[in-house]
Amino acid sequence: MESPNEEEAEVATAEVGEKGSADKMARSGLPPEGSAAGEERRPANPRGRGPVAVSAKTDWSAGDPDAAGRVREAARAAPRPAGGTGGDPPGPPGAPAGVPRPAPRPSLWRCPDGSFVKRIVTPGRGLDKPKSGSRCRVAVAAMPGWAGDSADLTLGVGPWREEPWGQLMEKCLESMRLGEEAELLLPGDPRPPPRLTLTAFTPGRDSWELDPGEKEALAREERALGTELFRAGDVRGAARCYGRALRLLLTLPPPGPPGRTALHANLAACQLLLGQPRLAAQSCERALEREPGHLKALYRRGAARAALGELGEAAADLRRVLEAEPANRAAREALASVVAKGRERDAELARGLRKMFT
């Protein structure tokens, strides 16, 4: 049964034919009036899939007795579509019969921290993905500095995470499904991309499934790894480790372990270096809520406020640091810079006011 839209299209086509406009009839797929009696008529298909079958009542013998036979022979000799239903070609909608569908393009997944792009060569199965504690069996190819072509890795645990490619592999595995094969594309790296295939993995456990002792132990490992990465210059990797440690500790009953304060302050240091002063100020706020006199958090909040243009608040934080540690050179230099910026801003404001009243 035809839909109302298709019926309306046919009615519109008939009305155009009655008006006799050659241009409109050409667009509708109908032949112009006065065409030869024996000329083949193929009205346009309203579904957009090429010509429709001509009605059996058409007079094919008028002016050419052999026309009907030739049409039947041509229809029998025409190749049939290789796939589809109802005579639809296997290609894209509106494509001629026999045109194959384009090969599917590889899917891309961009790591949120921008460290790499994952190109999925073979999609995985199911919905589950490895998580903390999952033991993964991985086929490895073209990985620089990686010995062997396979490995058994436990997410969140083990010295393999400290290797140059450890953090990238872990982030990639956390996004993969069983049987997935993927390439890791690194920005600006001309070498052939490493390839990982997740052949098997065991179910991990979410943070709510761990007991408090396990959470604290994993948080200590994440903090230690983050400190090593920070010292090695991998600020993004360090921030990721500190963030994971905090997520584990935030699920513990209040007040939680004292290590949370230092983790917030360490995360703020990473966020400052990554050009995220507002996030850094928020991390310092959380540290100072737990320990109001934490000097590193005060200093870093002062630096973050200065970057945000909050010069008065920044100077107040830095003066508090100097009251507790008068010999703190970094705080003294930062305060001098903030005071100079404040004077410059005041002078510029004064110049603007003078121009308004002169």
PDB file of all heavy atoms in Angstrom, residues 161 167 207 218-219 222-227 229 235-251 260 262-268 270-271 283 286:
ATOM      1  N   ARG A 161      52.920  -0.036  34.006  1.00  0.00           N
ATOM      2  CA  ARG A 161      52.284   1.268  33.797  1.00  0.00           C
ATOM      3  C   ARG A 161      53.300   2.400  33.802  1.00  0.00           C
ATOM      4  O   ARG A 161      53.003   3.506  33.352  1.00  0.00           O
ATOM      5  CB  ARG A 161      51.223   1.502  34.873  1.00  0.00           C
ATOM      6  CG  ARG A 161      50.169   0.407  34.913  1.00  0.00           C
ATOM      7  CD  ARG A 161      49.303   0.487  36.157  1.00  0.00           C
ATOM      8  NE  ARG A 161      48.468   1.655  36.146  1.00  0.00           N
ATOM      9  CZ  ARG A 161      48.263   2.426  37.218  1.00  0.00           C
ATOM     10  NH1 ARG A 161      48.861   2.155  38.365  1.00  0.00           N
ATOM     11  NH2 ARG A 161      47.461   3.468  37.139  1.00  0.00           N
ATOM     12  N   GLN A 167      51.057   4.154  30.106  1.00  0.00           N
ATOM     13  CA  GLN A 167      49.857   4.962  30.315  1.00  0.00           C
ATOM     14  C   GLN A 167      48.964   4.973  29.075  1.00  0.00           C
ATOM     15  O   GLN A 167      47.737   4.902  29.176  1.00  0.00           O
ATOM     16  CB  GLN A 167      50.262   6.391  30.677  1.00  0.00           C
ATOM     17  CG  GLN A 167      50.843   6.536  32.074  1.00  0.00           C
ATOM     18  CD  GLN A 167      49.790   6.297  33.150  1.00  0.00           C
ATOM     19  OE1 GLN A 167      48.734   6.918  33.143  1.00  0.00           O
ATOM     20  NE2 GLN A 167      50.080   5.394  34.054  1.00  0.00           N
ATOM     21  N   SER A 207      34.605   0.899  41.861  1.00  0.00           N
ATOM     22  CA  SER A 207      35.079   1.372  43.166  1.00  0.00           C
ATOM     23  C   SER A 207      34.120   0.999  44.296  1.00  0.00           C
ATOM     24  O   SER A 207      34.559   0.720  45.415  1.00  0.00           O
ATOM     25  CB  SER A 207      35.284   2.891  43.119  1.00  0.00           C
ATOM     26  OG  SER A 207      34.074   3.544  42.802  1.00  0.00           O
ATOM     27  N   LEU A 218      44.970   1.171  46.613  1.00  0.00           N
ATOM     28  CA  LEU A 218      45.021   1.578  45.208  1.00  0.00           C
ATOM     29  C   LEU A 218      45.282   3.076  45.081  1.00  0.00           C
ATOM     30  O   LEU A 218      46.005   3.522  44.183  1.00  0.00           O
ATOM     31  CB  LEU A 218      43.716   1.210  44.509  1.00  0.00           C
ATOM     32  CG  LEU A 218      43.496  -0.279  44.211  1.00  0.00           C
ATOM     33  CD1 LEU A 218      42.093  -0.512  43.658  1.00  0.00           C
ATOM     34  CD2 LEU A 218      44.538  -0.775  43.218  1.00  0.00           C
ATOM     35  N   ALA A 219      44.705   3.871  45.982  1.00  0.00           N
ATOM     36  CA  ALA A 219      44.936   5.316  45.939  1.00  0.00           C
ATOM     37  C   ALA A 219      46.404   5.639  46.206  1.00  0.00           C
ATOM     38  O   ALA A 219      46.966   6.547  45.577  1.00  0.00           O
ATOM     39  CB  ALA A 219      44.039   6.012  46.954  1.00  0.00           C
ATOM     40  N   GLU A 222      48.284   4.960  43.009  1.00  0.00           N
ATOM     41  CA  GLU A 222      48.033   6.003  42.009  1.00  0.00           C
ATOM     42  C   GLU A 222      48.790   7.285  42.360  1.00  0.00           C
ATOM     43  O   GLU A 222      49.363   7.938  41.474  1.00  0.00           O
ATOM     44  CB  GLU A 222      46.534   6.297  41.914  1.00  0.00           C
ATOM     45  CG  GLU A 222      45.699   5.162  41.340  1.00  0.00           C
ATOM     46  CD  GLU A 222      45.901   5.001  39.847  1.00  0.00           C
ATOM     47  OE1 GLU A 222      46.626   5.802  39.232  1.00  0.00           O
ATOM     48  OE2 GLU A 222      45.329   4.061  39.287  1.00  0.00           O
ATOM     49  N   ARG A 223      48.823   7.630  43.629  1.00  0.00           N
ATOM     50  CA  ARG A 223      49.523   8.848  44.035  1.00  0.00           C
ATOM     51  C   ARG A 223      51.027   8.709  43.780  1.00  0.00           C
ATOM     52  O   ARG A 223      51.676   9.644  43.269  1.00  0.00           O
ATOM     53  CB  ARG A 223      49.261   9.134  45.504  1.00  0.00           C
ATOM     54  CG  ARG A 223      49.991  10.375  46.009  1.00  0.00           C
ATOM     55  CD  ARG A 223      49.725  10.620  47.476  1.00  0.00           C
ATOM     56  NE  ARG A 223      50.537  11.727  47.990  1.00  0.00           N
ATOM     57  CZ  ARG A 223      50.521  12.148  49.243  1.00  0.00           C
ATOM     58  NH1 ARG A 223      49.724  11.563  50.136  1.00  0.00           N
ATOM     59  NH2 ARG A 223      51.293  13.155  49.622  1.00  0.00           N
ATOM     60  N   ALA A 224      51.575   7.549  44.116  1.00  0.00           N
ATOM     61  CA  ALA A 224      53.010   7.346  43.896  1.00  0.00           C
ATOM     62  C   ALA A 224      53.351   7.403  42.412  1.00  0.00           C
ATOM     63  O   ALA A 224      54.352   8.028  42.009  1.00  0.00           O
ATOM     64  CB  ALA A 224      53.436   5.997  44.492  1.00  0.00           C
ATOM     65  N   LEU A 225      52.520   6.793  41.587  1.00  0.00           N
ATOM     66  CA  LEU A 225      52.764   6.828  40.150  1.00  0.00           C
ATOM     67  C   LEU A 225      52.619   8.248  39.610  1.00  0.00           C
ATOM     68  O   LEU A 225      53.409   8.696  38.764  1.00  0.00           O
ATOM     69  CB  LEU A 225      51.801   5.888  39.428  1.00  0.00           C
ATOM     70  CG  LEU A 225      51.913   5.829  37.911  1.00  0.00           C
ATOM     71  CD1 LEU A 225      53.322   5.438  37.485  1.00  0.00           C
ATOM     72  CD2 LEU A 225      50.895   4.868  37.324  1.00  0.00           C
ATOM     73  N   GLY A 226      51.625   8.975  40.109  1.00  0.00           N
ATOM     74  CA  GLY A 226      51.452  10.350  39.672  1.00  0.00           C
ATOM     75  C   GLY A 226      52.646  11.221  40.005  1.00  0.00           C
ATOM     76  O   GLY A 226      53.071  12.057  39.200  1.00  0.00           O
ATOM     77  N   THR A 227      53.223  11.016  41.179  1.00  0.00           N
ATOM     78  CA  THR A 227      54.404  11.799  41.565  1.00  0.00           C
ATOM     79  C   THR A 227      55.588  11.484  40.652  1.00  0.00           C
ATOM     80  O   THR A 227      56.330  12.389  40.229  1.00  0.00           O
ATOM     81  CB  THR A 227      54.755  11.516  43.027  1.00  0.00           C
ATOM     82  OG1 THR A 227      53.638  11.852  43.858  1.00  0.00           O
ATOM     83  CG2 THR A 227      55.964  12.328  43.463  1.00  0.00           C
ATOM     84  N   LEU A 229      55.418  10.437  37.531  1.00  0.00           N
ATOM     85  CA  LEU A 229      55.139  11.013  36.218  1.00  0.00           C
ATOM     86  C   LEU A 229      55.338  12.526  36.238  1.00  0.00           C
ATOM     87  O   LEU A 229      55.844  13.114  35.268  1.00  0.00           O
ATOM     88  CB  LEU A 229      53.715  10.667  35.786  1.00  0.00           C
ATOM     89  CG  LEU A 229      53.441   9.194  35.495  1.00  0.00           C
ATOM     90  CD1 LEU A 229      51.947   8.962  35.261  1.00  0.00           C
ATOM     91  CD2 LEU A 229      54.229   8.729  34.288  1.00  0.00           C
ATOM     92  N   VAL A 235      52.886  15.799  32.890  1.00  0.00           N
ATOM     93  CA  VAL A 235      51.927  16.468  33.772  1.00  0.00           C
ATOM     94  C   VAL A 235      50.524  15.903  33.563  1.00  0.00           C
ATOM     95  O   VAL A 235      49.767  15.705  34.531  1.00  0.00           O
ATOM     96  CB  VAL A 235      51.952  17.989  33.517  1.00  0.00           C
ATOM     97  CG1 VAL A 235      50.958  18.698  34.427  1.00  0.00           C
ATOM     98  CG2 VAL A 235      53.353  18.527  33.754  1.00  0.00           C
ATOM     99  N   ARG A 236      50.158  15.637  32.319  1.00  0.00           N
ATOM    100  CA  ARG A 236      48.818  15.084  32.062  1.00  0.00           C
ATOM    101  C   ARG A 236      48.656  13.713  32.710  1.00  0.00           C
ATOM    102  O   ARG A 236      47.613  13.410  33.303  1.00  0.00           O
ATOM    103  CB  ARG A 236      48.570  14.990  30.559  1.00  0.00           C
ATOM    104  CG  ARG A 236      48.402  16.323  29.867  1.00  0.00           C
ATOM    105  CD  ARG A 236      48.019  16.145  28.407  1.00  0.00           C
ATOM    106  NE  ARG A 236      47.903  17.404  27.734  1.00  0.00           N
ATOM    107  CZ  ARG A 236      46.801  18.168  27.751  1.00  0.00           C
ATOM    108  NH1 ARG A 236      45.738  17.761  28.403  1.00  0.00           N
ATOM    109  NH2 ARG A 236      46.784  19.324  27.098  1.00  0.00           N
ATOM    110  N   GLY A 237      49.680  12.871  32.566  1.00  0.00           N
ATOM    111  CA  GLY A 237      49.610  11.555  33.192  1.00  0.00           C
ATOM    112  C   GLY A 237      49.526  11.650  34.701  1.00  0.00           C
ATOM    113  O   GLY A 237      48.785  10.896  35.352  1.00  0.00           O
ATOM    114  N   ALA A 238      50.265  12.597  35.286  1.00  0.00           N
ATOM    115  CA  ALA A 238      50.219  12.786  36.732  1.00  0.00           C
ATOM    116  C   ALA A 238      48.824  13.229  37.174  1.00  0.00           C
ATOM    117  O   ALA A 238      48.280  12.731  38.169  1.00  0.00           O
ATOM    118  CB  ALA A 238      51.264  13.808  37.154  1.00  0.00           C
ATOM    119  N   ALA A 239      48.234  14.175  36.432  1.00  0.00           N
ATOM    120  CA  ALA A 239      46.892  14.641  36.776  1.00  0.00           C
ATOM    121  C   ALA A 239      45.883  13.503  36.708  1.00  0.00           C
ATOM    122  O   ALA A 239      44.973  13.412  37.549  1.00  0.00           O
ATOM    123  CB  ALA A 239      46.480  15.772  35.839  1.00  0.00           C
ATOM    124  N   ARG A 240      46.060  12.630  35.742  1.00  0.00           N
ATOM    125  CA  ARG A 240      45.129  11.496  35.611  1.00  0.00           C
ATOM    126  C   ARG A 240      45.256  10.569  36.822  1.00  0.00           C
ATOM    127  O   ARG A 240      44.250  10.091  37.347  1.00  0.00           O
ATOM    128  CB  ARG A 240      45.441  10.758  34.316  1.00  0.00           C
ATOM    129  CG  ARG A 240      44.453   9.676  33.940  1.00  0.00           C
ATOM    130  CD  ARG A 240      44.663   9.276  32.487  1.00  0.00           C
ATOM    131  NE  ARG A 240      43.776   8.197  32.117  1.00  0.00           N
ATOM    132  CZ  ARG A 240      44.105   6.913  32.113  1.00  0.00           C
ATOM    133  NH1 ARG A 240      45.322   6.554  32.460  1.00  0.00           N
ATOM    134  NH2 ARG A 240      43.244   5.988  31.753  1.00  0.00           N
ATOM    135  N   CYS A 241      46.479  10.309  37.269  1.00  0.00           N
ATOM    136  CA  CYS A 241      46.679   9.444  38.434  1.00  0.00           C
ATOM    137  C   CYS A 241      46.107  10.075  39.697  1.00  0.00           C
ATOM    138  O   CYS A 241      45.427   9.410  40.490  1.00  0.00           O
ATOM    139  CB  CYS A 241      48.162   9.153  38.617  1.00  0.00           C
ATOM    140  SG  CYS A 241      48.873   8.080  37.360  1.00  0.00           S
ATOM    141  N   TYR A 242      46.362  11.365  39.916  1.00  0.00           N
ATOM    142  CA  TYR A 242      45.827  12.032  41.094  1.00  0.00           C
ATOM    143  C   TYR A 242      44.296  12.034  41.072  1.00  0.00           C
ATOM    144  O   TYR A 242      43.644  11.862  42.110  1.00  0.00           O
ATOM    145  CB  TYR A 242      46.343  13.470  41.163  1.00  0.00           C
ATOM    146  CG  TYR A 242      47.832  13.580  41.407  1.00  0.00           C
ATOM    147  CD1 TYR A 242      48.586  14.580  40.788  1.00  0.00           C
ATOM    148  CD2 TYR A 242      48.491  12.697  42.259  1.00  0.00           C
ATOM    149  CE1 TYR A 242      49.952  14.692  41.010  1.00  0.00           C
ATOM    150  CE2 TYR A 242      49.862  12.804  42.479  1.00  0.00           C
ATOM    151  CZ  TYR A 242      50.580  13.795  41.846  1.00  0.00           C
ATOM    152  OH  TYR A 242      51.941  13.911  42.057  1.00  0.00           O
ATOM    153  N   GLY A 243      43.738  12.230  39.888  1.00  0.00           N
ATOM    154  CA  GLY A 243      42.284  12.204  39.783  1.00  0.00           C
ATOM    155  C   GLY A 243      41.703  10.838  40.110  1.00  0.00           C
ATOM    156  O   GLY A 243      40.672  10.729  40.785  1.00  0.00           O
ATOM    157  N   ARG A 244      42.354   9.763  39.633  1.00  0.00           N
ATOM    158  CA  ARG A 244      41.864   8.419  39.956  1.00  0.00           C
ATOM    159  C   ARG A 244      41.962   8.139  41.444  1.00  0.00           C
ATOM    160  O   ARG A 244      41.068   7.527  42.039  1.00  0.00           O
ATOM    161  CB  ARG A 244      42.649   7.381  39.166  1.00  0.00           C
ATOM    162  CG  ARG A 244      42.201   7.221  37.723  1.00  0.00           C
ATOM    163  CD  ARG A 244      42.639   5.880  37.166  1.00  0.00           C
ATOM    164  NE  ARG A 244      44.081   5.745  37.216  1.00  0.00           N
ATOM    165  CZ  ARG A 244      44.882   5.761  36.152  1.00  0.00           C
ATOM    166  NH1 ARG A 244      44.371   5.931  34.954  1.00  0.00           N
ATOM    167  NH2 ARG A 244      46.181   5.608  36.271  1.00  0.00           N
ATOM    168  N   ALA A 245      43.069   8.569  42.063  1.00  0.00           N
ATOM    169  CA  ALA A 245      43.217   8.358  43.499  1.00  0.00           C
ATOM    170  C   ALA A 245      42.126   9.086  44.277  1.00  0.00           C
ATOM    171  O   ALA A 245      41.552   8.545  45.241  1.00  0.00           O
ATOM    172  CB  ALA A 245      44.596   8.828  43.944  1.00  0.00           C
ATOM    173  N   LEU A 246      41.815  10.315  43.868  1.00  0.00           N
ATOM    174  CA  LEU A 246      40.770  11.064  44.561  1.00  0.00           C
ATOM    175  C   LEU A 246      39.404  10.419  44.388  1.00  0.00           C
ATOM    176  O   LEU A 246      38.598  10.389  45.331  1.00  0.00           O
ATOM    177  CB  LEU A 246      40.743  12.505  44.045  1.00  0.00           C
ATOM    178  CG  LEU A 246      41.834  13.425  44.605  1.00  0.00           C
ATOM    179  CD1 LEU A 246      41.883  14.729  43.835  1.00  0.00           C
ATOM    180  CD2 LEU A 246      41.585  13.687  46.085  1.00  0.00           C
ATOM    181  N   ARG A 247      39.128   9.906  43.203  1.00  0.00           N
ATOM    182  CA  ARG A 247      37.829   9.254  42.996  1.00  0.00           C
ATOM    183  C   ARG A 247      37.677   8.035  43.901  1.00  0.00           C
ATOM    184  O   ARG A 247      36.572   7.724  44.355  1.00  0.00           O
ATOM    185  CB  ARG A 247      37.671   8.866  41.525  1.00  0.00           C
ATOM    186  CG  ARG A 247      37.379  10.049  40.619  1.00  0.00           C
ATOM    187  CD  ARG A 247      36.903   9.598  39.251  1.00  0.00           C
ATOM    188  NE  ARG A 247      37.922   8.877  38.526  1.00  0.00           N
ATOM    189  CZ  ARG A 247      38.816   9.440  37.743  1.00  0.00           C
ATOM    190  NH1 ARG A 247      38.862  10.755  37.616  1.00  0.00           N
ATOM    191  NH2 ARG A 247      39.708   8.703  37.083  1.00  0.00           N
ATOM    192  N   LEU A 248      38.767   7.331  44.150  1.00  0.00           N
ATOM    193  CA  LEU A 248      38.704   6.182  45.061  1.00  0.00           C
ATOM    194  C   LEU A 248      38.443   6.642  46.493  1.00  0.00           C
ATOM    195  O   LEU A 248      37.614   6.061  47.205  1.00  0.00           O
ATOM    196  CB  LEU A 248      40.008   5.395  44.997  1.00  0.00           C
ATOM    197  CG  LEU A 248      40.238   4.564  43.739  1.00  0.00           C
ATOM    198  CD1 LEU A 248      41.691   4.114  43.651  1.00  0.00           C
ATOM    199  CD2 LEU A 248      39.312   3.351  43.726  1.00  0.00           C
ATOM    200  N   LEU A 249      39.134   7.690  46.933  1.00  0.00           N
ATOM    201  CA  LEU A 249      39.016   8.132  48.320  1.00  0.00           C
ATOM    202  C   LEU A 249      37.715   8.867  48.596  1.00  0.00           C
ATOM    203  O   LEU A 249      37.231   8.871  49.725  1.00  0.00           O
ATOM    204  CB  LEU A 249      40.204   9.022  48.684  1.00  0.00           C
ATOM    205  CG  LEU A 249      41.582   8.352  48.625  1.00  0.00           C
ATOM    206  CD1 LEU A 249      42.666   9.333  49.028  1.00  0.00           C
ATOM    207  CD2 LEU A 249      41.629   7.103  49.503  1.00  0.00           C
ATOM    208  N   LEU A 250      37.142   9.502  47.579  1.00  0.00           N
ATOM    209  CA  LEU A 250      35.902  10.238  47.788  1.00  0.00           C
ATOM    210  C   LEU A 250      34.727   9.324  48.114  1.00  0.00           C
ATOM    211  O   LEU A 250      33.699   9.796  48.617  1.00  0.00           O
ATOM    212  CB  LEU A 250      35.575  11.085  46.557  1.00  0.00           C
ATOM    213  CG  LEU A 250      36.450  12.322  46.354  1.00  0.00           C
ATOM    214  CD1 LEU A 250      36.169  12.962  44.999  1.00  0.00           C
ATOM    215  CD2 LEU A 250      36.252  13.324  47.477  1.00  0.00           C
ATOM    216  N   THR A 251      34.854   8.030  47.826  1.00  0.00           N
ATOM    217  CA  THR A 251      33.768   7.097  48.130  1.00  0.00           C
ATOM    218  C   THR A 251      33.849   6.557  49.553  1.00  0.00           C
ATOM    219  O   THR A 251      32.965   5.799  49.967  1.00  0.00           O
ATOM    220  CB  THR A 251      33.804   5.916  47.148  1.00  0.00           C
ATOM    221  OG1 THR A 251      35.067   5.235  47.256  1.00  0.00           O
ATOM    222  CG2 THR A 251      33.626   6.397  45.714  1.00  0.00           C
ATOM    223  N   ARG A 260      43.966  12.901  51.274  1.00  0.00           N
ATOM    224  CA  ARG A 260      43.130  13.605  50.302  1.00  0.00           C
ATOM    225  C   ARG A 260      43.567  15.055  50.125  1.00  0.00           C
ATOM    226  O   ARG A 260      43.523  15.607  49.020  1.00  0.00           O
ATOM    227  CB  ARG A 260      41.669  13.558  50.739  1.00  0.00           C
ATOM    228  CG  ARG A 260      40.921  12.316  50.266  1.00  0.00           C
ATOM    229  CD  ARG A 260      39.487  12.326  50.720  1.00  0.00           C
ATOM    230  NE  ARG A 260      38.779  13.540  50.339  1.00  0.00           N
ATOM    231  CZ  ARG A 260      37.521  13.791  50.693  1.00  0.00           C
ATOM    232  NH1 ARG A 260      36.861  12.930  51.443  1.00  0.00           N
ATOM    233  NH2 ARG A 260      36.930  14.904  50.303  1.00  0.00           N
ATOM    234  N   ALA A 262      46.595  16.432  50.327  1.00  0.00           N
ATOM    235  CA  ALA A 262      47.772  16.530  49.458  1.00  0.00           C
ATOM    236  C   ALA A 262      47.419  16.199  48.017  1.00  0.00           C
ATOM    237  O   ALA A 262      47.970  16.795  47.075  1.00  0.00           O
ATOM    238  CB  ALA A 262      48.863  15.594  49.969  1.00  0.00           C
ATOM    239  N   LEU A 263      46.497  15.269  47.801  1.00  0.00           N
ATOM    240  CA  LEU A 263      46.106  14.926  46.435  1.00  0.00           C
ATOM    241  C   LEU A 263      45.437  16.106  45.740  1.00  0.00           C
ATOM    242  O   LEU A 263      45.700  16.381  44.563  1.00  0.00           O
ATOM    243  CB  LEU A 263      45.168  13.714  46.445  1.00  0.00           C
ATOM    244  CG  LEU A 263      45.831  12.355  46.616  1.00  0.00           C
ATOM    245  CD1 LEU A 263      44.788  11.279  46.888  1.00  0.00           C
ATOM    246  CD2 LEU A 263      46.651  12.002  45.383  1.00  0.00           C
ATOM    247  N   HIS A 264      44.563  16.823  46.462  1.00  0.00           N
ATOM    248  CA  HIS A 264      43.930  18.004  45.878  1.00  0.00           C
ATOM    249  C   HIS A 264      44.981  19.053  45.521  1.00  0.00           C
ATOM    250  O   HIS A 264      44.919  19.677  44.452  1.00  0.00           O
ATOM    251  CB  HIS A 264      42.914  18.591  46.851  1.00  0.00           C
ATOM    252  CG  HIS A 264      41.627  17.840  46.922  1.00  0.00           C
ATOM    253  ND1 HIS A 264      40.818  17.642  45.822  1.00  0.00           N
ATOM    254  CD2 HIS A 264      40.991  17.233  47.968  1.00  0.00           C
ATOM    255  CE1 HIS A 264      39.735  16.958  46.181  1.00  0.00           C
ATOM    256  NE2 HIS A 264      39.819  16.696  47.471  1.00  0.00           N
ATOM    257  N   ALA A 265      45.957  19.257  46.411  1.00  0.00           N
ATOM    258  CA  ALA A 265      47.001  20.251  46.144  1.00  0.00           C
ATOM    259  C   ALA A 265      47.883  19.829  44.977  1.00  0.00           C
ATOM    260  O   ALA A 265      48.275  20.665  44.151  1.00  0.00           O
ATOM    261  CB  ALA A 265      47.842  20.457  47.408  1.00  0.00           C
ATOM    262  N   ASN A 266      48.198  18.530  44.888  1.00  0.00           N
ATOM    263  CA  ASN A 266      49.009  18.050  43.766  1.00  0.00           C
ATOM    264  C   ASN A 266      48.263  18.185  42.440  1.00  0.00           C
ATOM    265  O   ASN A 266      48.848  18.555  41.412  1.00  0.00           O
ATOM    266  CB  ASN A 266      49.394  16.589  43.992  1.00  0.00           C
ATOM    267  CG  ASN A 266      50.374  16.423  45.143  1.00  0.00           C
ATOM    268  OD1 ASN A 266      50.910  17.396  45.658  1.00  0.00           O
ATOM    269  ND2 ASN A 266      50.605  15.194  45.548  1.00  0.00           N
ATOM    270  N   LEU A 267      46.977  17.880  42.468  1.00  0.00           N
ATOM    271  CA  LEU A 267      46.176  18.035  41.246  1.00  0.00           C
ATOM    272  C   LEU A 267      46.129  19.497  40.822  1.00  0.00           C
ATOM    273  O   LEU A 267      46.187  19.816  39.620  1.00  0.00           O
ATOM    274  CB  LEU A 267      44.772  17.497  41.481  1.00  0.00           C
ATOM    275  CG  LEU A 267      43.809  17.560  40.295  1.00  0.00           C
ATOM    276  CD1 LEU A 267      44.357  16.789  39.098  1.00  0.00           C
ATOM    277  CD2 LEU A 267      42.436  17.005  40.687  1.00  0.00           C
ATOM    278  N   ALA A 268      46.069  20.414  41.786  1.00  0.00           N
ATOM    279  CA  ALA A 268      46.064  21.845  41.457  1.00  0.00           C
ATOM    280  C   ALA A 268      47.362  22.246  40.777  1.00  0.00           C
ATOM    281  O   ALA A 268      47.360  23.062  39.844  1.00  0.00           O
ATOM    282  CB  ALA A 268      45.850  22.660  42.731  1.00  0.00           C
ATOM    283  N   CYS A 270      49.203  20.403  38.835  1.00  0.00           N
ATOM    284  CA  CYS A 270      49.106  19.934  37.445  1.00  0.00           C
ATOM    285  C   CYS A 270      48.192  20.841  36.635  1.00  0.00           C
ATOM    286  O   CYS A 270      48.504  21.201  35.490  1.00  0.00           O
ATOM    287  CB  CYS A 270      48.583  18.498  37.408  1.00  0.00           C
ATOM    288  SG  CYS A 270      49.669  17.279  38.186  1.00  0.00           S
ATOM    289  N   GLN A 271      47.076  21.231  37.217  1.00  0.00           N
ATOM    290  CA  GLN A 271      46.111  22.056  36.480  1.00  0.00           C
ATOM    291  C   GLN A 271      46.682  23.439  36.169  1.00  0.00           C
ATOM    292  O   GLN A 271      46.394  24.005  35.114  1.00  0.00           O
ATOM    293  CB  GLN A 271      44.818  22.160  37.300  1.00  0.00           C
ATOM    294  CG  GLN A 271      44.070  20.834  37.357  1.00  0.00           C
ATOM    295  CD  GLN A 271      43.016  20.794  38.443  1.00  0.00           C
ATOM    296  OE1 GLN A 271      43.103  21.508  39.441  1.00  0.00           O
ATOM    297  NE2 GLN A 271      42.006  19.947  38.267  1.00  0.00           N
ATOM    298  N   SER A 283      40.438  23.011  43.061  1.00  0.00           N
ATOM    299  CA  SER A 283      41.153  21.951  43.770  1.00  0.00           C
ATOM    300  C   SER A 283      41.761  22.487  45.062  1.00  0.00           C
ATOM    301  O   SER A 283      41.748  21.808  46.103  1.00  0.00           O
ATOM    302  CB  SER A 283      42.239  21.358  42.872  1.00  0.00           C
ATOM    303  OG  SER A 283      41.673  20.719  41.742  1.00  0.00           O
ATOM    304  N   ARG A 286      39.162  22.805  47.809  1.00  0.00           N
ATOM    305  CA  ARG A 286      38.849  21.536  48.474  1.00  0.00           C
ATOM    306  C   ARG A 286      39.941  21.155  49.472  1.00  0.00           C
ATOM    307  O   ARG A 286      39.649  20.607  50.544  1.00  0.00           O
ATOM    308  CB  ARG A 286      38.667  20.441  47.428  1.00  0.00           C
ATOM    309  CG  ARG A 286      37.474  20.675  46.513  1.00  0.00           C
ATOM    310  CD  ARG A 286      37.202  19.479  45.626  1.00  0.00           C
ATOM    311  NE  ARG A 286      36.059  19.732  44.769  1.00  0.00           N
ATOM    312  CZ  ARG A 286      36.125  20.109  43.501  1.00  0.00           C
ATOM    313  NH1 ARG A 286      37.312  20.296  42.946  1.00  0.00           N
ATOM    314  NH2 ARG A 286      35.041  20.312  42.790  1.00  0.00           N
TER     315      ARG A 286
END
